[in-house]
């Protein structure tokens, strides 16, 4: 078993990239299942407290990107973010297949690819991303997000950690 921070696995271990593909696919499946659930069991804008004073489930639609960035841009942003997700996912996947990343970076890439493509599916099917997790404290509300967003963020953090672990 490789340490997550080990050196790149290289081409000698052909097919190891398949497990990272399966991680990304699992993330897409769990993300889409959660969005189907919330979209089918909640009304738009409905809020149900989970941990009062801190955490709600809600159903919101985001036509933009993170924090509703470019949400009111008129529609072109859907295509832009879809192309961006495909571009980044392709680059990450290519580097995983070629064995250019450490194990930690492979995990980070799988998280980002799974999350990005989960949100792409929303944009293509619904024209917006389905968000349902809401964190807040008193009158302060963090923008609603979903599991795909969470995986993208964790993947980005893993990439930063991995970059500090290299000589």
């Amino acid at each position: 078993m490789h340490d997550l921070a080990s050196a790149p696995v290289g081409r000698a271990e052909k097919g190891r990239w398949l497990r990272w593909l399966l991680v990304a696919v699992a993330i897409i499946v769990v993300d889409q299942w959660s969005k189907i659930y919330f979209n089918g069991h909640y009304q738009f804008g409905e809020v149900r407290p989970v941990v009062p004073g801190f955490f709600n489930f809600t159903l919101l639609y985001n036509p933009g990107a993170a924090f509703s960035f470019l949400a009111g841009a008129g529609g072109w942003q859907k295509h832009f973010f879809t192309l961006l997700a495909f571009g980044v996912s392709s680059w990450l996947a290519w580097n995983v297949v070629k064995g250019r990343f450490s194990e930690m970076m492979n995990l980070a890439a799988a998280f980002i690819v799974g999350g990005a493509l989960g949100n792409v599916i929303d944009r293509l099917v619904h024209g917006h991303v389905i968000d349902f997790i809401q964190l807040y404290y008193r009158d302060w509300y963090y923008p609603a997000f979903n599991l795909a967003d969470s995986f993208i963020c964790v993947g980005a953090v893993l990439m930063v950690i991995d970059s500090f672990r290299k000589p």
Side-chain angles (χ1 to χ4, degrees):
M1 187 80 181
H2 290 279
D3 176 25
L4 282 179
S6 67
V9 292
R11 295 179 194 182
E13 300 182 57
K14 290 182 181 178
R16 289 189 60 86
W17 58 269
L18 198 55
R19 74 175 174 169
W20 303 114
L21 172 65
L22 293 175
V23 169
V25 168
I27 289 167
I28 293 168
V29 168
V30 169
D31 173 66
Q32 288 300 300
W33 175 86
S34 66
K35 292 170 178 174
I36 289 167
Y37 175 82
F38 284 95
N39 208 32
H41 289 83
Y42 283 64
Q43 296 295 318
F44 179 80
E46 179 181 355
V47 176
R48 295 185 196 171
V50 177
V51 179
F54 177 67
F55 172 45
N56 294 328
F57 282 139
T58 187
L59 178 63
L60 297 173
Y61 302 141
N62 180 358
F67 314 115
S68 295
F69 177 65
L70 295 177
W76 65 266
Q77 74 277 20
K78 171 184 152 184
H79 306 292
F80 172 75
F81 292 125
T82 299
L83 289 174
L84 182 64
F86 279 134
V88 169
S89 295
S90 297
W91 182 83
L92 289 170
W94 178 255
N95 282 285
V96 169
V97 168
K98 289 298 185 180
R100 295 181 181 144
F101 288 159
S102 69
E103 293 287 287
M104 182 182 286
M105 193 68 144
N106 286 338
L107 180 62
F111 279 17
I112 292 169
V113 169
L117 295 181
N119 282 340
V120 161
I121 291 169
D122 284 11
R123 285 190 187 93
L124 294 176
V125 171
H126 305 290
H128 55 258
V129 174
I130 297 169
D131 290 328
F132 55 87
I133 300 169
Q134 183 181 59
L135 302 177
Y136 68 100
Y137 180 72
R138 295 187 179 167
D139 292 333
W140 176 84
Y141 286 81
Y142 190 78
F145 58 98
N146 58 47
L147 294 181
D149 299 332
S150 300
F151 278 106
I152 292 168
C153 289
V154 170
V157 168
L158 289 174
M159 282 186 164
V160 170
I161 291 169
D162 187 65
S163 72
F164 284 121
R165 297 178 65 118
K166 293 183 179 185

